[in-house]
């Protein structure tokens, strides 16, 4: 059972998301919050697996709340609109596992929660990859690989490059002619060696290190 907390300053949004999620056999909403301060407090009290975190909230915004939860095992799924601001990119650096458009279809919300809860797939590759590419185009990119990348094997480096291109485990397996379970093992080792929580942070690391070039 995936335990979810919904953080949004609009009561109607909280109720709508909660009703949809609670109707699933494998998901339960354990709590909700109307601002960032309450979100952090409730996450620490209820220990959910996933928190749906709105960006714009009173008292404390979703980005600050995400930063405060960086050391917590909870997976943060940022709720945002299509016209994203720069601070949403910072949410990834703060520890968010991915993005979800607030007006996405119900099926996408359910899939996103399950994906983020597993921690083994990049949420909305087309959206997240576009956002990161746009961001790094406007930011100086380190062309020298961080020392940590030197700990990766040649195969692990290739897997990281493909993760950054938005490929799923199955697609990476097909590209490299490997069993999907083998790819999962490589992905786990990449995350462990680089000290990353999930694939979203792996994408950031790949772009910022210069391993992958925008476009």
């Amino acid at each position: 059972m995936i335990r979810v907390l919904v953080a949004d300053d609009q009561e109607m949004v909280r109720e709508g998301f909660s009703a949809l999620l609670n109707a699933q056999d494998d998901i339960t909403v354990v709590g909700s919050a109307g601002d960032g301060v309450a979100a952090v407090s409730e996450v620490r009290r209820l220990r959910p697996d996933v928190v749906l975190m709105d960006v714009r909230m009173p008292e404390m915004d979703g980005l600050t709340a995400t930063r405060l939860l960086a050391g917590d095992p909870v997976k943060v799924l940022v709720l945002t609109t299509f016209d994203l601001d720069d601070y949403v990119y910072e949410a990834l650096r703060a520890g968010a596992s991915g993005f979800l458009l607030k007006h996405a279809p119900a099926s996408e919300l359910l899939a996103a929660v399950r994906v983020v809860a597993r921690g083994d797939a990049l949420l909305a590759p087309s959206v997240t990859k576009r956002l990161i590419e746009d961001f790094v185009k406007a930011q100086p990119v380190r062309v020298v690989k961080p020392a940590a990348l030197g700990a990766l094997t040649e195969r692990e480096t290739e897997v990281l490059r493909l993760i950054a291109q938005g490929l799923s485990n199955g697609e990476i397996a097909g590209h490299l002619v490997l069993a999907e379970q083998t790819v999962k093992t490589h992905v786990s080792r990449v995350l462990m060696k680089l000290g990353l929580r999930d694939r979203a942070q792996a994408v950031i690391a790949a772009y910022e290190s210069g391993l992958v070039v925008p476009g």
Side-chain angles (χ1 to χ4, degrees):
M1 185 66 71
I2 302 171
R3 294 162 49 83
V4 178
L5 184 134
V6 180
D8 194 289
D9 63 340
Q10 298 182 47
E11 184 176 358
M12 186 177 296
V13 172
R14 296 198 304 272
E15 291 180 351
F17 282 165
S18 295
L20 174 64
L21 294 169
N22 279 327
Q24 308 306 304
D25 293 336
D26 60 336
I27 301 174
T28 182
V29 176
V30 297
S32 64
D35 60 68
V37 173
V40 172
S41 176
E42 288 298 274
V43 166
R44 290 173 173 167
R45 183 177 72 87
L46 299 170
R47 296 298 175 186
D49 302 304
V50 176
V51 55
L52 299 183
M53 186 77 78
D54 188 20
V55 173
R56 296 188 176 107
M57 292 188 290
E59 303 296 331
M60 178 190 294
D61 61 50
L63 173 57
T64 302
T66 299
R67 283 177 177 153
L68 291 177
L69 294 172
D72 195 284
V74 68
K75 303 289 186 179
V76 177
L77 179 54
V78 175
L79 298 173
T80 184
T81 53
F82 189 74
D83 51 337
L84 294 145
D85 298 319
D86 285 345
Y87 60 71
V88 178
Y89 299 108
E90 294 301 321
L92 273 177
R93 287 197 173 108
S97 295
F99 297 101
L100 180 69
L101 300 181
K102 292 189 74 171
H103 303 298
S107 59
E108 287 187 18
L109 170 63
L110 298 175
V113 169
R114 293 180 176 118
V115 162
V116 170
R118 290 198 307 266
D120 63 356
L122 177 64
L123 171 65
S126 61
V127 175
T128 305
K129 182 169 179 283
R130 175 181 61 79
L131 293 173
I132 295 171
E133 284 193 351
D134 288 346
F135 178 67
V136 296
K137 283 177 182 176
Q139 300 291 324
V141 177
R142 296 189 298 271
V143 295
V144 178
K145 296 181 183 179
L149 287 188
L152 302 181
T153 65
E154 184 176 347
R155 178 63 81 188
E156 289 165 353
T157 300
E158 182 62 20
V159 168
L160 175 57
R161 183 179 290 110
L162 294 174
I163 289 173
Q165 292 173 10
L167 273 64
S168 66
N169 284 346
E171 291 168 335
I172 293 174
H175 184 83
L176 298 178
V177 194
L178 295 172
E180 188 166 349
Q181 186 56 49
T182 301
V183 172
K184 288 182 179 180
T185 299
H186 285 314
V187 171
S188 295
R189 287 176 178 167
V190 167
L191 298 180
M192 178 187 66
K193 288 182 177 181
L194 299 182
L196 305 172
R197 328 177 24 150
D198 52 38
R199 295 169 73 111
Q201 289 194 343
V203 173
I204 288 283
Y207 276 104
E208 291 194 327
S209 68
L211 181 64
V212 175
V213 177

